[in-house]
Amino acid sequence: MRSLPARIVGGVLVLGLVASLVGAATAQKRGGTLTIVRPTDPVSLDPNLETTAPGAWVYFNMLEGLLTLDDKMQVKPALATSYEVLSPTKVRFKLRPNVKFHDGTPFNAEAVKFTFDRALKGSPPARWASLAGSLDRAEVVDGLTVDVVTKEPYGPILRTLAMYCMGIVSPTAVQKLGQDFSRAPVGTGPFKFVEWKTNTHVIIERFNDYWGDKALVDRVIFKVVPEEGARMIALQTGDADMVLIPSPAQLPALRKDPKFTVHETTGIRVVFAGFHAGMAPLDDVRVRQALLHAVDRKAILDNIMEGSAGPALGVLAPGVFGYKDMQLDKVYPFDRARAKALLAQAGWTPGPDGILVKGGQRLSLSWLAARGRYPKDGEITEAIQAMFKEVGVEAKVQVLEWGAVFQQVRGNPLNHHMFTLGWVTSNADADYSLYALFHSKQVPPAGWNTSRYANARVDTLVEQARRSLNQTEREKLYGEVQDILAKEMVWIPVYTTKEIVVSRTGVKGFHVHPVEYNLALWKTWLDR
Amino acid sequence: MLTFVVRRLLLAVPVLLGVVFVVMLTIDLLPGDAVTLMLGEHATPDAVARLRDHLGLDKPFLVRYLDYVGRVARGDLGRSIQQNRPVGTELADAWPATLQLTVAALLIATGVGIAAGVASAVWPNSLFDALARLGSLFGLSMPIFWTGLVLIVVFALWLNWLPVGGAGSLSHLVLPAVTLALPSVAMVARMTRSAVLEVLREDYVRTARAKGVAERWVLGRHALRNAFIPILTLLGLQSGQLMGGAVLTETVFAWPGLGRLMVKAIFARDYVLLQGAVLLFALAFVVINLLVDLSYGLLDPRVGRQG
Amino acid sequence: MDAWGRFRRNRLALLGLALVAVLATSAVLAPWLSPHDPARQSLIEKRAKPGGKYVLGADEFGRDILSRVIYGSRVALLVGLLSAAIAVAGGLVLGTLAGFAGGWLDAVVMRAIEILLAFPYLLLALAIVAVLGPGALNTTIAVGIWGVPAVTRIVRGAVLTLRETEYVGAARALGAPAVALLRRHILPNIVPGLIVYATLFMANAILLEAALSFLGLGVQPPTASWGLMVSTGRDVLLVAPHVATVPGLAIMVAVLAFNLVGDGLRDALDPRLRGSG
């Protein structure tokens, strides 16, 4: 018979063994195929030609830029290891050594220059060239050093270079494949391209010569399943491991279901009902403020978005550099009495059918919206239409197909009082939104100031902030812009998107990123 | 007969030219255009002008039309505006899937529809007639996504017999083909019932009956042969509808066919891709109409050859 | 026995007529029959199950489905009847023209029909809406025009057959004018089949209007149309099936009603039934 101390030691050893076995069971496993379903096929896998999510989701895993944005929205090195600001218009990047493209050719400064030339000076240039602001070119200093030059001092430069579509491409591959490159891109990322069957699936597989931590799964298949109901069923049957763009109505049940994991985080897109501030009666700030008070945003978030979106506290999303909480819920709470009082102050009195009138004119607004362009855009328009009616404002909604809406919204003049739109701050820098949306010279078709908002102080502030490289100063300037906007409100911000991905519990290691395009799959592994 | 066929095929040419003309004109008429939609939020006037120029989309309508016709005559269907891929390749990717689905649905619709219709005509206003009517009306009135999703829930989720969607094997074809065929079954069944009833009362059928010829003989030889003309017309039309109307089915079942391709092209105003697809359909219609007209002649020699 | 007598004896046809009457009453008396305001939203009660305050349940905005179904009968009747009428009228004219006249006229009409058939329906609807603007009436016109080729082909096929029958041949030989021939011998034989087709076409028409309204080309919010209710209920089909299914059933009942009436009319008007059961 063993002595007690011996038995204790033995017991501890056994426990230790068991513990290590359990630990090993939850350690990452390599291998397997991850099947993802999403609504549409990409148009192209070349970032120059495709900046929307279906393509970005795929090429984000195959191409890398100089910098990247992590899921805490901080700029981090990727293919560049360090940078140095040489002058207000020139930044020098030291590149990572010993990095190979999927086709075996080496990554170097030449490749960076090639990528920039192709994007900014190509024929035609990249789709995103217009949002690159004053980005001009990249100059080779030596094999692993490159200078990025801008035409004018450009404050957002780092975040712009960290964008999902700034991936460096292999010059050899571009020259060899020509136009076919858009169907089979070659980059330095943790996954490489395998196959694309149009309207059916795109397959990528682990790149074993990746410079960093190799991806854990062997392959990823992106399948196209346009019908939302069918996507959710595919998740249930196991035909799919992960669903992008899940059905909001099913989220409450899925969150409680141990077979599934709901990954969610606040995104960077704001969906709003915009006012044409140049068209009476919306040129009166009291009317606009009254309309803000008339909308019960919480009811919309709870019942239409059903937790699939977060509150819009301002015109920017949290996580965007320069974001300020405009405290809209405190400044413009849902308050019908206040709305009616403001409208009365502005000279509107109830008419015979309940709709307000002033000087013989009914308070009737024409409203342009699409259905399905942004999540629940048609539904929130209809809900707000009903809310307006409660305070005596009639909204004549025209729901048109996106092409028609886009045409009108991009055109000048705009013959509607209101429109439902969404806006994503693609480079997560306030400049991208505040300049394009609120600068007085950015009225369509030059820019996106669909509200026809004009404020000289705001113009000066956004111009200054764009040219300053001092990020603290920029933040202050943008703060002031948002303070001014909060008083003049030319939008009813309705919600900030949430990036939501639902997966089966066997899918581990996945983290959803606030930027919808940054679908990082290299840390994901399958426990099956 | 050969001259008839050749003449009809030659007559197809103005149809094809006409269709392309009308499609191109319509797309131009619609608000929004391919380039601004493609560029989306990056559509500055500069970028738009440059891309239009690059793609040759800023030339006047007639120039583009004649350009296009000339190229098609040489066998070049052009490149799609959205993807810059040869239209021929894009169509070749999607066409087989559409053909499979259409044929399968047509077979189901014809088989089930005619059988039900004939049975209804032989026992009019009976319980069977009533049930068949109700059942087929249900299939016709409930929208395709409804029947599709219900079938997926029953056969893929609950019973796990069939896959949820996509294409690939016969088991992938079953649900979409049945869903697509359902509305047609109703049409075919009702029209068959009507046509057969009419013919059953024709004088010569009554004469044959009076002569004591067996019921089945009567039915088979005389009734069906003459009922077939309207049924055939309907089938010709249904195949057209099935081809062109498969969008919803393709969407629900993630079936990579031409329907979805065309709808995407319309929304993106990608008229090059759209025209390629429409030409394909137009050709298919011409062939179907030709076959239907030929069979009129075969089934009822009195009709002779027309058109 | 005359046509009305035959119709009266057909119980299914009478049922159909009764249902049509219910539909028509619904449409006309909607404001008095609806328990709630069809546009009144109550977001907190979204997708309420049938029973209690909302007899047939509530939609995604908390609006009463029963009230919306009652009001929706207006759009359904408009779309169903008018588009069928347009399709039948257009098709009859073109079909008889092509079938009877033959020759180059037939060729021209058939080629035009082929062009229309190959033309994508969605594009046709978008074009009509671009020119005329959105709204239920304009989508109805689009649906009607879409139906013309089918009816034309059916009519032409029937005319071709009937043209060659003995007694038409005989009447022609006797010198009867074309119009009389059409009226007395040909049309009465086509009409029954057409009626059946038209009643079935209505289901199609309502569903097409559904797709178009969903895209924003048809009725505008907050107007209720069965088709639009069905389309917007699609997203929640797996969670709250009544939202899409109830209006779908309404479509089915309406189509059934017209179908029964149509079959009854067909049976009643069939000239060869005289003297038989």
Side-chain angles (χ1 to χ4, degrees):
Chain A
M1 170 115 124
R2 296 241 189 103
S3 63
L4 187 60
R7 259 192 276 166
I8 291 174
V9 168
V12 168
L13 278 175
V14 167
L15 276 176
L17 195 60
V18 170
S20 67
L21 282 177
V22 168
T26 52
Q28 302 167 337
K29 280 198 232 161
R30 290 192 110 205
T33 302
L34 178 67
T35 306
I36 302 181
V37 288
R38 75 272 178 69
T40 40
D41 211 29
V43 163
S44 163
L45 291 178
D46 179 348
N48 278 11
L49 298 174
E50 161 92 299
T51 49
T52 64
W57 284 330
V58 182
Y59 68 64
F60 185 72
N61 291 287
M62 296 193 286
L63 301 167
E64 302 176 293
L66 294 173
L67 301 167
T68 190
L69 213 56
D70 72 6
D71 54 18
K72 307 272 180 307
M73 302 299 276
Q74 298 303 315
V75 175
K76 285 280 183 312
L79 286 178
T81 50
S82 65
Y83 68 88
E84 188 193 340
V85 178
L86 295 183
S87 80
T89 55
K90 194 183 278 206
V91 182
R92 176 159 296 183
F93 290 89
K94 283 255 175 276
L95 303 177
R96 200 173 292 273
N98 301 321
V99 176
K100 287 220 199 57
F101 285 107
H102 300 148
D103 58 4
T105 57
F107 162 72
N108 53 28
E110 280 298 333
V112 176
K113 178 175 188 330
F114 180 87
T115 304
F116 275 64
D117 284 345
R118 179 176 181 256
L120 299 169
K121 299 183 176 25
S123 163
R127 301 262 186 275
W128 51 262
S130 63
L131 67 50
S134 7
L135 212 54
D136 189 38
R137 61 184 188 278
E139 286 171 349
V140 173
V141 175
D142 66 45
L144 287 175
T145 316
V146 76
D147 284 349
V148 173
V149 183
T150 57
K151 294 187 207 109
E152 303 179 312
Y154 185 53
I157 184 166
L158 290 183
R159 279 167 188 264
T160 302
L161 291 174
M163 269 201 307
Y164 63 98
C165 50
M166 302 292 286
I168 308 296
V169 299
S170 153
T172 323
V174 172
Q175 278 151 355
K176 201 168 77 156
L177 295 170
Q179 276 173 338
D180 289 336
F181 184 83
S182 115
R183 303 269 311 170
V186 174
T188 58
F191 286 93
K192 68 181 203 288
F193 175 82
V194 175
E195 166 185 282
W196 180 1
K197 205 151 165 251
T198 314
N199 272 331
T200 309
H201 62 232
V202 180
I203 305 183
I204 60 178
E205 72 180 4
R206 176 174 58 235
F207 177 46
N208 287 313
D209 285 329
Y210 182 58
W211 58 265
D213 290 331
K214 317 272 182 288
L216 293 165
V217 293
D218 290 335
R219 292 194 142 194
V220 181
I221 303 185
F222 290 87
K223 278 200 195 156
V224 180
V225 179
E227 185 76 25
E228 191 176 83
R231 281 201 293 283
M232 302 313 290
I233 296 180
L235 189 68
Q236 300 263 355
T237 59
D239 279 21
D241 298 310
M242 196 186 260
V243 174
L244 304 175
I245 320 279
S247 158
Q250 294 191 20
L251 287 176
L254 289 169
R255 285 193 186 102
K256 296 197 216 114
D257 192 330
K259 294 200 298 290
F260 302 101
T261 320
V262 176
H263 311 267
E264 46 192 325
T265 188
T266 308
I268 53 170
R269 187 190 294 270
V270 175
V271 172
F272 59 94
F275 295 121
H276 186 326
M279 199 187 234
L282 295 179
D283 51 353
D284 183 339
V285 66
R286 287 169 300 187
V287 174
R288 299 201 298 268
Q289 290 175 338
L291 291 176
L292 272 158
H293 282 294
V295 177
D296 185 353
R297 286 200 300 275
K298 183 162 186 315
I300 292 181
L301 282 175
D302 289 342
N303 299 304
I304 298 185
M305 307 313 296
E306 299 189 79
S308 69
L313 298 166
V315 299
L316 294 176
V320 169
F321 172 78
Y323 161 78
K324 180 165 185 179
D325 181 354
M326 286 160 74
Q327 312 242 316
L328 292 179
D329 282 345
K330 291 208 187 63
V331 181
Y332 299 105
F334 172 52
D335 186 342
R336 283 207 184 116
R338 181 116 189 83
K340 289 189 187 156
L342 275 168
L343 287 167
Q345 254 181 51
W348 294 90
T349 49
D353 60 352
I355 302 296
L356 297 172
V357 286
K358 176 173 162 187
Q361 283 267 341
R362 294 172 89 235
L363 188 42
S364 177
L365 305 172
S366 75
W367 189 334
L368 194 59
R371 194 188 292 275
R373 172 77 178 92
Y374 305 101
K376 304 281 181 210
D377 47 5
E379 287 84 337
I380 61 184
T381 309
E382 240 183 295
I384 299 180
Q385 179 191 38
M387 290 170 185
F388 277 5
K389 188 127 180 280
E390 300 281 338
V391 297
V393 176
E394 176 183 64
K396 288 215 174 74
V397 172
Q398 254 199 18
V399 174
L400 295 179
E401 169 243 346
W402 174 245
V405 172
F406 188 71
Q407 164 99 336
Q408 295 204 40
V409 148
R410 281 295 298 160
N412 205 11
L414 177 66
N415 296 319
H416 294 273
H417 292 99
M418 298 188 62
F419 42 90
T420 308
L421 280 184
W423 184 262
V424 64
T425 315
S426 297
N427 63 4
D429 188 302
D431 169 74
Y432 185 71
S433 300
L434 297 180
Y435 193 91
L437 296 167
F438 299 109
H439 190 292
S440 60
K441 292 227 174 52
Q442 292 288 305
V443 173
W448 281 89
N449 185 349
T450 8
S451 300
R452 274 91 177 138
Y453 177 67
N455 181 310
R457 178 86 187 122
V458 167
D459 284 357
T460 318
L461 289 169
V462 294
E463 281 165 19
Q464 230 187 311
R466 173 173 270 209
R467 275 198 273 276
S468 157
L469 289 175
N470 179 336
Q471 307 299 331
T472 326
E473 182 194 0
R474 294 182 71 223
E475 230 176 336
K476 214 170 62 99
L477 293 170
Y478 288 131
E480 196 188 329
V481 171
Q482 288 167 83
D483 286 338
I484 300 178
L485 288 175
K487 292 202 206 76
E488 311 201 308
M489 284 320 275
V490 291
W491 283 9
I492 303 179
V494 181
Y495 68 79
T496 306
T497 47
K498 271 202 198 155
E499 296 310 316
I500 308 187
V501 170
V502 184
S503 61
R504 294 176 67 85
T505 21
V507 176
K508 304 231 191 291
F510 176 73
H511 291 285
V512 68
H513 197 289
V515 176
E516 60 179 307
Y517 310 107
N518 293 19
L519 185 72
L521 296 170
W522 46 89
K523 292 215 178 68
T524 313
W525 54 282
L526 298 167
D527 187 9
R528 285 210 261 256
Chain B
M1 165 120 120
L2 192 60
T3 38
F4 176 61
V5 173
V6 169
R7 216 176 61 193
R8 278 293 283 273
L9 286 176
L10 282 178
L11 277 176
V13 175
V15 173
L16 297 176
L17 285 175
V19 172
V20 170
F21 189 83
V22 180
V23 168
M24 233 168 127
L25 194 60
T26 313
I27 292 268
D28 266 13
L29 264 186
L30 291 181
D33 76 281
V35 172
T36 35
L37 283 172
M38 255 200 312
L39 292 175
E41 63 200 35
H42 311 310
T44 57
D46 214 38
V48 170
R50 245 187 321 199
L51 195 53
R52 272 217 194 110
D53 183 66
H54 177 80
L55 293 172
L57 295 175
D58 52 353
K59 304 206 196 93
F61 176 76
L62 272 176
V63 173
R64 279 182 290 130
Y65 176 68
L66 292 169
D67 235 352
Y68 183 80
V69 173
R71 269 186 291 137
V72 174
R74 276 175 276 138
D76 173 14
L77 285 171
R79 300 184 84 97
S80 70
I81 300 177
Q82 299 169 78
Q83 290 214 19
N84 201 19
R85 256 182 114 207
V87 171
T89 321
E90 297 214 46
L91 293 180
D93 278 348
W95 174 242
T98 294
L99 194 62
Q100 268 179 15
L101 188 59
T102 311
V103 169
L106 195 60
L107 285 175
I108 296 175
T110 313
V112 177
I114 292 186
V118 168
S120 281
V122 169
W123 300 295
N125 298 331
S126 62
L127 184 64
F128 175 83
D129 188 17
L131 282 177
R133 228 184 213 160
L134 212 62
S136 60
L137 272 183
F138 190 79
L140 180 67
S141 316
M142 293 313 270
I144 285 199
F145 69 81
W146 191 97
T147 35
L149 279 174
V150 166
L151 286 175
I152 292 180
V153 168
V154 173
F155 289 97
L157 188 58
W158 291 348
L159 293 173
N160 219 339
W161 286 351
L162 294 168
V164 174
S169 62
L170 200 58
S171 63
H172 283 99
L173 183 57
V174 173
L175 286 182
V178 168
T179 309
L180 185 59
L182 272 175
S184 294
V185 165
M187 282 270 186
V188 172
R190 301 328 294 164
M191 291 299 274
T192 304
R193 176 190 181 273
S194 174
V196 170
L197 270 179
E198 270 186 53
V199 161
L200 279 178
R201 284 157 178 124
E202 278 286 318
D203 290 331
Y204 59 89
V205 172
R206 286 155 78 204
T207 322
R209 269 205 187 122
K211 280 201 237 161
V213 175
E215 190 69 22
R216 233 187 302 160
W217 185 247
V218 167
L219 201 61
R221 262 342 254 335
H222 300 274
L224 278 184
R225 241 166 119 223
N226 286 294
F228 243 94
I229 291 188
I231 294 176
L232 213 57
T233 314
L234 187 67
L235 286 178
L237 290 167
Q238 288 297 304
S239 44
Q241 259 198 295
L242 288 173
M243 261 200 308
V247 188
L248 275 179
T249 313
E250 288 178 16
T251 306
V252 173
F253 293 96
W255 190 263
L258 281 174
R260 267 202 285 149
L261 201 76
M262 288 214 316
V263 170
K264 268 203 329 189
I266 293 177
F267 284 130
R269 310 287 193 263
D270 185 346
Y271 70 87
V272 184
L273 179 58
L274 183 62
Q275 271 156 208
V278 173
L279 276 176
L280 201 54
F281 274 131
L283 210 51
F285 277 117
V286 167
V287 169
I288 292 175
N289 278 352
L290 180 56
L291 289 173
V292 172
D293 278 355
L294 279 177
S295 35
Y296 283 165
L298 282 174
L299 283 175
D300 189 347
R302 294 173 306 171
V303 171
R305 292 178 229 113
Q306 291 305 319
Chain C
M1 190 187 291
D2 72 331
W4 173 234
R6 278 196 292 274
F7 189 89
R8 248 189 344 198
R9 278 197 2 175
N10 185 340
R11 278 184 310 183
L12 283 178
L14 285 179
L15 173 62
L17 202 58
L19 286 175
V20 171
V22 168
L23 228 58
T25 320
S26 225
V28 169
L29 296 179
W32 294 276
L33 291 171
S34 310
H36 299 267
D37 175 355
R40 187 131 214 299
Q41 295 187 5
S42 172
L43 291 178
I44 201 93
E45 293 176 295
K46 65 183 182 296
R47 304 198 293 262
K49 294 225 186 344
K53 182 170 166 197
Y54 300 116
V55 178
L56 290 178
D59 70 5
E60 60 275 23
F61 293 104
R63 295 182 295 207
D64 179 32
I65 291 183
L66 176 60
S67 307
R68 288 179 72 76
V69 164
I70 292 176
Y71 270 86
S73 61
R74 292 178 167 180
V75 175
L77 284 178
L78 172 73
V79 170
L81 290 174
L82 187 55
S83 65
I86 295 175
V88 166
L92 258 182
V93 167
L94 289 175
T96 36
L97 212 59
F100 205 69
W104 66 268
L105 191 56
D106 183 27
V108 167
V109 169
M110 288 321 287
R111 302 294 84 73
I113 291 296
E114 276 163 9
I115 292 183
L116 195 52
L117 272 175
F119 196 74
Y121 167 66
L122 181 59
L123 197 56
L124 175 66
L126 283 176
I128 293 183
V129 168
V131 170
L132 296 174
L137 182 60
N138 298 334
T139 13
T140 307
I141 295 176
V143 175
I145 295 181
W146 173 78
V148 166
V151 180
T152 308
R153 284 219 59 116
I154 293 177
V155 170
R156 175 181 174 271
V159 169
L160 282 179
T161 325
L162 290 165
R163 202 173 83 167
E164 308 302 330
T165 54
E166 277 134 15
Y167 63 15
V168 173
R172 265 168 125 187
L174 287 175
V179 178
L181 273 175
L182 280 171
R183 241 189 55 204
R184 265 139 124 262
H185 300 286
I186 299 188
L187 285 185
N189 287 302
I190 300 182
V191 167
L194 265 188
I195 292 179
V196 173
Y197 185 81
T199 56
L200 288 171
F201 178 79
M202 291 175 67
N204 245 336
I206 296 180
L207 288 176
L208 278 172
E209 182 268 324
L212 291 179
S213 288
F214 188 73
L215 291 174
L217 305 174
V219 296
Q220 298 297 309
T223 317
S225 95
W226 295 344
L228 184 59
M229 290 166 76
V230 148
S231 297
T232 46
R234 180 176 179 171
D235 287 339
V236 294
L237 191 62
L238 299 173
V239 177
H242 65 281
V243 179
T245 310
V246 170
L249 288 173
I251 296 176
M252 195 186 91
V253 168
V255 170
L256 178 68
F258 282 106
N259 189 247
L260 288 174
V261 169
D263 273 1
L265 273 179
R266 191 214 142 276
D267 289 351
L269 292 174
D270 188 342
R272 278 157 301 202
L273 282 177
R274 276 187 217 108
S276 74

